[in-house]
Amino acid sequence: MSKKKFVPVIIVLALVLALAGVLAACDKTEKEGVFAQAGIPVQDEYGFWGYVNSAGEEVIPFDYTWASPFDNGTAVVATAKTSYNVPDVYDVPDVFYLINSGGSRIAGPYAYAQLIEGGNYAIVAKAGSSAFSEGDVLYGIYDIGAAAMAKDFAYSSMSWDKEAGAVFAEADNFTYVWKAADLSDVGVRAGAVESGSGSQGYAYVWTEAADATDELNAYVYQIYDQENFGFTSVSGNDLTGSGYGWWCISSDAADGSGGTVTNYTFVGEKVVTTFPQADVVSAEAEEDMLLLTVTNAEGGREYLLFAANGTQLYSGTQKPVLDSTSGGFILEGENGAYTVFVQGLKFSFTLNAQSTFAGGRIYEDAQTEEVYYGYTYRQEAEDGTISVRLAAVAEDGTAYAFDPSVFGNKDFGGFVGGNVLVGSAGGRVGIADKQGNMLVECIYSDLRALDGGYYAAKLGNAWGVIKADGSQLTGFRFADMGV
């Protein structure tokens, strides 16, 4: 090629590269958090779901009756549209598909689908001979990376327990347990589970007949230990509920003198401890905790408080008092010190001599998963006037005071995305930081935190996405957001 012919080619190539750079620079859409993948699921004015980017631009068409957020490049969608594409026909059963970030269907149709464990697997189901026919539903697990079934359609029910990190499936009167992370076998048990929804504070307990060598007990109770991915066996004669996910197994043992003594084993997510009958005076269950009154070695009363996972939260001769406002237990110490046990957690704070505790409740930030104990107290000024104050303490002991002098007349609405949800007259909500500085004014009717510091905001009857500083991203034109 001659030199004269080569120069124009270089110029054209440079122009193409420059144009590509300009186009890339013009892309102002967010690429972090909830927008790091294909987009977020939103509902249009016709009731159908699709996906949009941070500018509100359609990236996956509005072809579905339901859509989940993306997880690891995969989402679940459902459609009940007829072949005539009539929007107001909803009497056709939902059909589920797995889609990739480009919107292509990669698996399905199914009668049901749910992503589990970071989007690596999906629980899927089929009804009868196909996903479109009625009949007994069968469940299996689809391996998204391998694009193949990891567990075939052979189970009558299947559920993912996120807290336990396990998948439970039933078939032919057997319960199968797999680790959700890699589907490795945890174990299999005969019979249906006696107890357990899989939520925090609940145990999975199976009852099996004891063998002939156990002369004192008729059953063996198998308790799933979700921390160690295994089972603990406890022999006994009776399994009784104690409320709030606690179960009591009574078992007999020889006392060494030819007689028997009954022991009581209290079970939360796993076995807590066993006490002889004479030691246990009473048992109270409340909000995933168990308070036992026992007789100590000196013959006096001692109080033991356990979380559902077996952690002992308290031991002492002062009885924790039930706090009806939070459903927890409270210990009042000296010099205004308080310790609160609620939902298996422990919080400590101190009030000054001019303040009186007036109750509290648990707040959980669904986005950050941080848990706080928010409490109110009455504070008396030097002139005798009384004011009501609100404060909160985090699990790590960090305290936040929501002083009216800072927040004004705004209501504290809990924690959202690492900040504070506040409300004003008329039911409008906004966002402040934990020191009371307003970040988003109270103009919205609803706010939901999204990954990456964004918020789904409802203005009037329409939803849009804003940043934590209140700046608008998508515009307010969606009927709902699936986040």
Side-chain angles (χ1 to χ4, degrees):
M1 181 181 287
S2 67
K3 192 172 183 180
K4 289 184 179 181
K5 292 181 181 179
F6 186 63
V7 172
V9 173
I10 295 178
I11 295 174
V12 171
L13 180 60
L15 290 174
V16 170
L17 293 174
L19 179 59
V22 170
L23 291 175
C26 291
D27 183 6
K28 300 297 184 180
T29 57
E30 305 286 328
K31 303 297 183 184
E32 304 294 331
V34 72
F35 296 110
Q37 300 190 54
I40 59 173
V42 297
Q43 187 183 41
D44 66 14
E45 66 271 27
Y46 300 107
F48 290 115
W49 290 80
Y51 293 80
V52 299
N53 60 19
S54 64
E57 301 164 339
E58 179 185 296
V59 292
I60 296 176
F62 290 80
D63 289 338
Y64 301 103
T65 54
W66 179 82
S68 79
F70 273 89
D71 193 355
N72 197 23
T74 305
V76 177
V77 294
T79 176
K81 298 174 76 171
T82 69
S83 58
Y84 295 101
N85 228 17
V86 181
D88 60 350
V89 176
Y90 291 98
D91 57 350
V92 179
D94 277 344
V95 179
F96 293 80
Y97 297 89
L98 304 182
I99 64 171
N100 61 22
S101 57
S104 299
R105 296 174 181 178
I106 59 174
Y110 301 116
Y112 172 80
Q114 176 195 11
L115 294 176
I116 63 173
E117 200 62 35
N120 296 318
Y121 304 100
I123 293 175
V124 294
K126 68 176 183 178
S129 59
S130 77
F132 301 97
S133 65
E134 295 182 359
D136 294 334
V137 176
L138 296 175
Y139 293 83
I141 298 180
Y142 183 79
D143 185 330
I144 296 171
M149 294 295 293
K151 304 290 182 182
D152 205 1
F153 294 104
Y155 304 92
S156 58
S157 68
M158 189 175 289
S159 63
W160 171 43
D161 184 339
K162 185 177 181 179
E163 292 290 336
V167 176
F168 293 80
E170 292 187 12
D172 299 326
N173 206 35
F174 286 90
T175 301
Y176 299 82
V177 186
W178 304 298
K179 249 184 174 180
D182 56 11
L183 299 187
S184 58
D185 286 330
V186 175
V188 57
R189 290 293 177 267
V193 63
E194 290 270 353
S195 160
S197 67
S199 59
Q200 181 182 6
Y202 282 73
Y204 290 95
V205 183
W206 286 262
T207 304
E208 300 176 355
D211 59 36
T213 61
D214 193 340
E215 299 177 356
L216 298 173
N217 298 297
Y219 304 102
V220 175
Y221 299 95
Q222 298 284 353
I223 301 120
Y224 174 65
D225 182 346
Q226 68 181 38
E227 291 186 0
N228 300 311
F229 296 105
F231 294 88
T232 299
S233 299
V234 179
S235 297
N237 290 309
D238 191 28
L239 173 70
T240 56
S242 302
Y244 289 100
W246 284 96
W247 291 81
C248 176
I249 296 174
S250 57
S251 57
D252 295 332
D255 65 0
S257 61
T260 60
V261 60
T262 300
N263 296 320
Y264 289 91
T265 301
F266 296 93
V267 180
E269 293 170 0
K270 63 180 182 179
V271 174
V272 175
T273 189
T274 300
F275 296 93
Q277 181 180 18
D279 286 352
V280 179
V281 178
S282 65
E284 302 174 53
E286 192 73 30
E287 291 293 336
D288 301 331
M289 295 178 294
L290 179 72
L291 178 63
L292 295 180
T293 304
V294 300
T295 303
N296 58 26
E298 291 75 31
R301 296 288 176 87
E302 187 174 353
Y303 303 94
L304 307 175
L305 186 63
F306 295 93
N309 62 5
T311 301
Q312 186 168 323
L313 300 172
Y314 170 74
S315 174
T317 56
Q318 181 184 354
K319 183 178 182 179
V321 178
L322 179 65
D323 175 22
S324 59
T325 57
S326 68
F329 294 96
I330 295 179
L331 280 176
E332 184 175 356
E334 298 180 352
N335 301 318
Y338 287 84
T339 302
V340 178
F341 306 95
V342 60
Q343 294 186 8
L345 303 174
K346 178 180 177 181
F347 301 91
S348 299
F349 58 93
T350 302
L351 299 178
N352 58 37
Q354 290 75 41
S355 300
T356 305
F357 176 75
R361 56 162 290 189
I362 281 286
Y363 294 95
E364 182 173 359
D365 191 326
Q367 193 63 32
T368 65
E369 297 185 350
E370 296 171 318
V371 180
Y372 304 82
Y373 179 75
Y375 58 94
T376 56
Y377 61 97
R378 296 182 179 89
Q379 184 170 321
E380 183 177 357
E382 293 183 359
D383 61 1
T385 58
I386 303 293
S387 61
V388 177
R389 301 297 179 91
L390 177 64
V393 59
E395 287 184 87
D396 63 3
T398 304
Y400 302 95
F402 304 103
D403 195 320
S405 65
V406 178
F407 275 82
N409 61 355
K410 297 183 177 67
D411 295 325
F412 171 80
F415 295 87
V416 55
N419 294 309
V420 177
L421 186 68
V422 296
S424 64
R428 298 297 176 182
V429 293
I431 302 170
D433 62 23
K434 294 172 185 176
Q435 289 70 43
N437 303 305
M438 290 302 298
L439 304 175
V440 178
E441 293 301 323
C442 297
I443 61 173
Y444 300 105
S445 52
D446 198 359
L447 284 166
R448 305 173 190 168
L450 307 175
D451 285 338
Y454 306 104
Y455 292 88
K458 189 176 183 180
L459 188 62
N461 293 318
W463 285 89
V465 178
I466 63 173
K467 291 185 176 181
D469 60 6
S471 57
Q472 177 181 320
L473 286 178
T474 65
F476 297 91
R477 57 186 183 85
F478 304 108
D480 201 358
M481 288 192 164
V483 292

